[in-house]
Amino acid sequence: MALFISVLLTIGFALWFFKTAERLGANPIQWAVAGAISYQFPAWAWMLIVSKPYLSSLKGVVAKTSAMAGLIGYSWIAVGLAVVLLVYKFALLKTNVKAAG
């Protein structure tokens, strides 16, 4: 399920960056790749380094099925989203494109 969510979000962010770069006159392929990487890398790093080890350290079935464990299990989505928004606001929107000609 996590892989499916990750793929859908990656495609969505890449398309979002692509369309914005096209509108701004920047290289859309380059920005689509940057959007995908800016989501994937922090999201998977957070999942593998923080949330999975934390969830494996919880003891008992009740602790692992609690709402807090569910939120922590999917916290990588919020981390990836935060990084994508930062890259969008502070990198893509501030891109200076030189006029051709």
Side-chain angles (χ1 to χ4, degrees):
M1 182 66 162
L3 183 61
F4 180 71
I5 292 170
S6 180
V7 167
L8 286 180
L9 287 171
T10 302
I11 292 169
F13 291 135
L15 185 60
W16 180 35
F17 274 57
F18 184 89
K19 292 292 187 181
T20 303
E22 238 179 11
R23 182 175 46 88
L24 295 174
N27 184 345
I29 300 294
Q30 174 186 353
W31 279 106
V33 171
I37 290 172
S38 67
Y39 170 72
Q40 282 290 320
F41 185 74
W44 284 91
W46 178 268
M47 183 177 17
L48 295 174
I49 295 170
V50 177
S51 65
K52 292 291 182 187
Y54 178 76
L55 289 175
S56 67
S57 72
L58 292 177
K59 303 292 182 204
V61 174
V62 174
K64 289 187 179 181
T65 59
S66 70
M68 188 60 136
L71 289 175
I72 292 168
Y74 287 100
S75 63
W76 55 272
I77 295 172
V79 170
L81 177 62
V83 173
V84 163
L85 291 175
L86 289 172
V87 169
Y88 182 80
K89 181 172 177 137
F90 294 111
L92 179 57
L93 292 182
K94 300 205 179 198
T95 301
N96 293 327
V97 179
K98 296 180 181 175

